[in-house]
Amino acid sequence: MSPRRPDMPPLGRSELRADPMAQFAVWFERALEETPLAEATTLATVDMSGNPDARMVLLKGFGPAGFRFFTNYESAKAAQLGGTPHAALVVYWRELDRQVRARGPVERLPAEESDAYWATRPRDSQLSAWASPQSKAIPSRGELEGLLEEVTERHAGGDVPRPPHWGGYVLHPETVEFWQGQVARLHDRFRYTRTADGWRIERLGP
């Protein structure tokens, strides 16, 4: 049995915000201060056969509409979202012994929002987005580096525009669960469920 951290007392219902995105903001702010790569997120989708698939992505914003991430629209995850536009995500902050789970429908962000985020990306990342045939088989590392060299030459001396095959998604949560570890595995779990009148909050057994 591990000792309870003095700054991690049991989580009570009265301490939770009424809206899960507001509660997430509270936890995320602390995670930014105390954990490395706080925005690392597991995104789970299903393929055309109904088989689950999961990978790590970076959470690039959240708010009333939901959780945002960006990717290649020709990638495997994008194809899966095109066939089944629902997903689940998990954020785990080991140093805080906390995780957040969310599930809901996913849709593409408007082009102007993808453009705005694209403009904040380092130039190297912009060039890589153009060069990489994401999720496609390639013969060698040299092939990939050659593609990057071609793209770099093509955009030398100017801004790198956003590729038409690259942009953002937003997951609109229908359920959001907050999990905080406790001693003896008596963890605190609260699930928010969207209703016609707002959000219902329930404590779950660990």
Side-chain angles (χ1 to χ4, degrees):
M1 180 185 301
S2 59
R4 177 182 292 133
R5 283 179 49 170
D7 59 343
M8 283 294 177
L11 182 64
R13 167 67 180 82
S14 62
E15 300 166 52
L16 299 174
R17 304 293 195 273
D19 185 283
M21 303 312 293
Q23 181 62 40
F24 185 83
V26 173
W27 277 24
F28 189 70
E29 182 178 1
R30 181 164 182 180
L32 286 173
E33 296 174 351
E34 299 189 32
T35 69
L37 203 60
E39 64 270 32
T41 304
T42 299
L43 176 72
T45 54
V46 295
D47 65 17
M48 297 300 290
S49 299
N51 296 312
D53 201 359
R55 77 289 291 161
M56 300 301 296
V57 299
L58 294 180
L59 183 66
K60 290 298 182 180
F62 59 89
F67 301 93
R68 307 195 320 166
F69 59 94
F70 294 81
T71 190
N72 187 314
Y73 288 146
E74 298 175 351
S75 65
K77 73 176 77 65
Q80 291 166 2
L81 289 171
T84 304
H86 286 74
L89 61 80
V90 183
V91 184
Y92 176 55
W93 298 305
R94 178 180 180 276
E95 292 75 9
L96 298 176
D97 205 13
R98 284 176 168 175
Q99 64 176 309
V100 180
R101 303 169 60 206
R103 296 190 298 169
V106 179
E107 66 176 352
R108 288 189 184 188
L109 290 171
E112 57 270 21
E113 293 189 34
S114 291
D115 288 338
Y117 172 67
W118 174 263
T120 70
R121 287 168 60 87
R123 185 178 181 85
D124 286 351
S125 297
Q126 293 176 337
L127 293 169
S128 294
W130 272 103
S132 174
Q134 193 173 119
S135 302
K136 307 296 192 301
I138 56 176
S140 66
R141 172 79 187 188
E143 175 79 9
L144 183 60
E145 292 175 348
L147 291 170
L148 179 59
E149 184 176 348
E150 291 177 12
V151 169
T152 301
E153 292 177 358
R154 188 189 318 154
H155 297 290
D159 292 336
V160 182
R162 179 175 66 89
H165 59 266
W166 190 97
Y169 288 93
V170 57
L171 184 150
H172 303 288
E174 293 179 337
T175 63
V176 185
E177 180 185 321
F178 293 84
W179 181 100
Q180 181 171 292
Q182 294 295 343
V183 297
R185 305 198 67 79
L186 292 178
H187 312 306
D188 292 313
R189 294 176 62 189
F190 287 92
R191 180 178 61 204
Y192 290 70
T193 303
R194 190 186 296 276
T195 70
D197 301 320
W199 292 94
R200 179 176 71 251
I201 305 175
E202 302 168 292
R203 178 183 280 273
L204 304 179

